[in-house]
């Protein structure tokens, strides 16, 4: 087992995540020309000098470092002289700070980097949505050494995972503590939202509403079976994937506090976790920027009266609270076996009912608070759709 772990750039993190099985660390600036998989607004400002020192401390522990260039869209700025200069400038800096590789989601960017920076390993992002043999072979032929498979489509499709493994030689990686909906119809749009919301060349990088996350939370709360249908892999079930040849496992989320990340790394490193599986997912109480109040940060990213009605937005801050849900991890022993010979791809969840039955056995949510949050999320989404929040 090789674990790929996120960094939040905090000084105390590297020591806390130095556990058996940890092989590599990944991260990026809060924003750059290419952008990445999270909006800038959920990160505190980080300077390049600190990044360089942090990467050195990672190397001192014998770990690799991958820099994220995993945007799903560059807005066609890559086809301009100015865009090419910015990409080259960024790559020059990555060479200077001695990163081991880059994570990309755009084929052109992967090809460009392989040509101009042949020393860098190319790791394919989940944003590339590699969900078939042909897509995996395309990236391998392009020079990728690691492919992160599409977690919203393949996490529990063991038949297809085996076939992909048999047809490519490069490392295959899965995200293990993601909480996305299986086969999420919002995935592609969500990728583009966060990509543009972390690019220095996009004015709207300063502000965005993560509509997709709110829809996801609403669906989870409206139907708790969705907590079970999500894309996670339990620490205890890592071995199942190793047996079919998946050898790398990626942890998220780089916006989290060091203590929260350390808990997740400990659980997957030891292949066991007693308690609430939901502890291993990202959530507001584990997010650094919400735990370290910074007036200037919030002013920069959220005070945009010409973009949105900020007084109405402030009233929605209750939606940033954690969902108080308990998923009894030990009661999920044996859960994964159902999917060895069953594929969600060819079934209706309403007819199957497996995840519904599991949810009834392992999930505890206070019904009063859940119903109140369902109403709150539904109301907020209606105000987004009607445009009321912008007036």
């Amino acid at each position: 087992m090789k674990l790929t772990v996120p960094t939040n750039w905090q000084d105390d993190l590297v020591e806390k995540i130095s556990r058996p099985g940890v092989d590599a660390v990944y991260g990026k600036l809060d924003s750059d020309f290419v952008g990445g998989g999270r909006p800038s607004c959920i990160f505190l400002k980080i300077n390049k000098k600190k990044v360089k020192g942090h990467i050195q401390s990672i190397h001192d522990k014998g770990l690799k470092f991958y820099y994220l260039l995993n945007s799903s869209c560059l807005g066609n700025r890559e086809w301009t002289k100015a865009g090419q200069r910015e990409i080259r400038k960024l790559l020059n800096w990555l060479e200077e700070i001695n990163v081991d590789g880059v994570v990309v989601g755009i084929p052109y960017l992967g090809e460009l980097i392989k040509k101009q920076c042949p020393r860098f390993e190319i790791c394919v992002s989940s944003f590339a949505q590699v969900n078939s043999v042909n897509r995996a072979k395309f990236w391998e032929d392009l020079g990728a050494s690691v492919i992160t498979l599409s977690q919203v489509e393949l996490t529990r499709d063991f038949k297809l995972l085996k076939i992909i493994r048999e047809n490519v030689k490069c490392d295959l990686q899965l995200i293990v503590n993601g909480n996305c909906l299986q086969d999420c119809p919002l995935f592609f749009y969500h990728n583009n939202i966060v990509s543009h919301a972390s690019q220095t060349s996009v004015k709207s990088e300063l502000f965005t509403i993560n509509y997709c996350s709110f829809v996801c939370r609403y669906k989870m709360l409206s139907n708790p079976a969705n907590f079970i249908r999500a894309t996670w892999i339990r620490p205890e079930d890592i071995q199942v994937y190793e047996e079919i040849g998946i050898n790398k496992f990626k942890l998220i989320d780089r916006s989290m506090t060091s203590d929260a990340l350390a808990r997740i790394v400990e659980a997957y490193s030891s292949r066991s976790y007693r308690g609430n599986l939901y502890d291993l997912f990202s959530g507001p109480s584990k997010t650094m920027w919400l735990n370290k109040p910074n007036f200037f940060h919030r002013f920069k990213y959220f005070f945009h009266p010409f973009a949105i009605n900020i007084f109405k937005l402030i009233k929605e801050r209750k939606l940033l609270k954690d969902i108080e849900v308990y998923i009894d991890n030990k009661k999920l022993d044996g859960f994964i076996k159902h999917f060895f010979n069953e594929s969600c791809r060819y079934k209706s969840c309403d007819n199957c009912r497996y995840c519904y039955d599991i949810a009834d056995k392992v999930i505890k949510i206070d019904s009063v608070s859940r119903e109140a949050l369902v109403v709150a999320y539904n109301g907020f989404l209606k105000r987004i759709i009607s445009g009321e929040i912008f007036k």
Side-chain angles (χ1 to χ4, degrees), residues 221 324 365-376:
L221 286 162
E324 294 183 9
I365 310 178
D366 179 73
S367 59
V368 175
S369 60
R370 182 175 78 87
E371 289 171 9
L373 275 173
V374 168
V375 171

Side-chain angles (χ1 to χ4, degrees), residues 207 209 302 308-317 380 389:
F207 176 76
I209 288 180
F302 298 104
I308 195 168
N309 187 316
I310 58 173
F311 299 105
K312 291 181 179 179
L313 185 64
I314 290 171
K315 291 180 181 179
E316 309 291 350
R317 63 184 180 276
F380 180 54
I389 196 80

Side-chain angles (χ1 to χ4, degrees), residues 235-271:
E236 293 83 354
D237 293 334
I238 289 290
Q239 182 180 350
V240 172
Y241 294 86
E242 289 177 313
E243 289 172 355
I244 61 174
I246 307 299
N247 57 330
K248 293 180 75 72
F249 302 93
K250 181 178 178 180
L251 308 181
I252 59 173
D253 186 289
R254 55 193 170 91
S255 66
M256 295 167 72
T257 64
S258 297
D259 286 341
L261 287 172
R263 174 189 283 182
I264 295 167
V265 172
E266 167 66 23
Y268 283 94
S269 175
S270 61
R271 300 170 181 261

Side-chain angles (χ1 to χ4, degrees), residues 146-369:
V146 183
I147 296 174
T148 307
L149 298 170
S150 173
Q151 81 270 23
V152 298
E153 297 169 277
L154 297 184
T155 302
R156 295 174 188 163
D157 192 335
F158 288 97
K159 181 179 179 180
L160 188 49
L161 286 174
K162 289 178 183 178
I163 294 172
I164 294 174
R165 177 67 286 172
E166 290 167 358
N167 282 275
V168 295
K169 297 178 181 179
C170 63
D171 287 337
L172 297 179
Q173 180 168 257
L174 283 169
I175 296 173
V176 293
N177 65 321
N179 195 28
C180 293
L181 292 170
Q182 288 283 348
D183 203 24
C184 180
L186 299 167
F187 188 70
F188 180 78
Y189 180 48
H190 195 179
N191 294 347
N192 282 351
I193 287 176
V194 295
S195 294
H196 291 307
S198 55
Q199 293 170 343
T200 52
S201 56
V202 179
K203 289 183 179 180
S204 61
E205 175 260 340
L206 291 177
F207 176 76
T208 187
I209 288 180
N210 203 332
Y211 159 81
C212 301
S213 291
F214 287 115
V215 171
C216 185
R217 281 184 145 217
Y218 173 66
K219 287 187 173 295
M220 294 271 187
L221 286 162
S222 300
N223 182 0
N226 283 323
F227 286 108
I228 303 301
R229 286 201 290 241
T231 57
W232 43 262
I233 298 171
R234 300 170 66 230
E236 293 83 354
D237 293 334
I238 289 290
Q239 182 180 350
V240 172
Y241 294 86
E242 289 177 313
E243 289 172 355
I244 61 174
I246 307 299
N247 57 330
K248 293 180 75 72
F249 302 93
K250 181 178 178 180
L251 308 181
I252 59 173
D253 186 289
R254 55 193 170 91
S255 66
M256 295 167 72
T257 64
S258 297
D259 286 341
L261 287 172
R263 174 189 283 182
I264 295 167
V265 172
E266 167 66 23
Y268 283 94
S269 175
S270 61
R271 300 170 181 261
S272 178
Y273 188 73
R274 292 188 176 276
N276 185 4
L277 183 66
Y278 205 71
D279 292 341
L280 307 183
F281 306 154
S282 60
S285 67
K286 304 162 195 163
T287 303
M288 270 205 317
W289 76 273
L290 285 173
N291 283 275
K292 291 186 176 182
N294 186 312
F295 171 79
F296 294 104
H297 176 90
R298 297 186 184 193
F299 183 87
K300 174 183 178 181
Y301 286 107
F302 298 104
F303 188 79
H304 290 274
F306 295 107
I308 195 168
N309 187 316
I310 58 173
F311 299 105
K312 291 181 179 179
L313 185 64
I314 290 171
K315 291 180 181 179
E316 309 291 350
R317 63 184 180 276
K318 59 182 176 292
L319 299 179
L320 293 177
K321 293 181 179 180
D322 274 332
I323 298 172
E324 294 183 9
V325 56
Y326 190 94
I327 305 174
D328 192 331
N329 187 42
K330 287 306 173 184
K331 287 185 178 179
L332 284 165
D333 287 347
F335 160 78
I336 199 68
K337 293 179 181 178
H338 171 84
F339 301 96
F340 291 175
N341 299 306
E342 300 286 345
S343 175
C344 298
R345 190 182 296 267
Y346 304 107
K347 283 189 172 184
S348 163
C349 289
D350 292 333
N351 293 333
C352 174
R353 306 297 295 182
Y354 178 67
C355 292
Y356 287 85
D357 294 338
I358 295 294
D360 289 339
K361 296 175 183 177
V362 307
I363 295 180
K364 294 179 182 178
I365 310 178
D366 179 73
S367 59
V368 175
S369 60

Side-chain angles (χ1 to χ4, degrees), residues 31-185:
S31 62
D32 59 29
F33 178 79
V34 172
R38 297 291 184 272
S40 298
C41 64
I42 66 171
F43 297 102
L44 301 178
K45 189 69 178 177
I46 180 73
N47 63 61
K48 290 184 175 181
K49 182 178 179 180
K50 186 174 180 64
V51 167
K52 183 177 181 179
H54 192 80
I55 292 174
Q56 184 58 56
S57 68
I58 289 168
H59 284 156
D60 290 344
K61 289 290 185 180
L63 305 174
K64 295 180 181 180
F65 180 82
Y66 295 103
Y67 188 86
L68 298 174
L69 296 173
N70 59 329
S71 167
S72 60
C73 178
L74 294 176
N76 286 332
R77 287 179 296 281
E78 68 270 40
W79 311 121
T80 66
K81 290 181 180 179
Q84 288 287 317
R85 284 195 300 269
E86 290 295 331
I87 293 171
R88 183 67 256 182
K89 181 180 177 181
L90 182 53
L91 293 177
N92 287 342
W93 174 64
L94 294 179
E95 288 183 315
E96 290 172 12
I97 62 175
N98 199 30
V99 305
D100 298 284
V102 292
V103 182
V104 299
I106 298 172
Y108 165 71
L109 199 55
E111 249 187 305
L112 181 151
I113 294 170
K114 197 66 182 176
K115 178 71 174 179
Q116 297 191 11
C117 306
R119 181 183 68 81
F120 289 172
E121 289 185 48
I122 301 295
C123 178
V124 182
S125 169
S126 64
F127 278 19
Q129 293 185 274
V130 177
N131 58 3
S132 68
V133 171
N134 286 339
R135 289 193 182 190
K137 288 181 71 67
F138 169 86
W139 279 101
E140 184 175 54
D141 292 344
L142 192 146
S145 57
V146 183
I147 296 174
T148 307
L149 298 170
S150 173
Q151 81 270 23
V152 298
E153 297 169 277
L154 297 184
T155 302
R156 295 174 188 163
D157 192 335
F158 288 97
K159 181 179 179 180
L160 188 49
L161 286 174
K162 289 178 183 178
I163 294 172
I164 294 174
R165 177 67 286 172
E166 290 167 358
N167 282 275
V168 295
K169 297 178 181 179
C170 63
D171 287 337
L172 297 179
Q173 180 168 257
L174 283 169
I175 296 173
V176 293
N177 65 321
N179 195 28
C180 293
L181 292 170
Q182 288 283 348
D183 203 24
C184 180

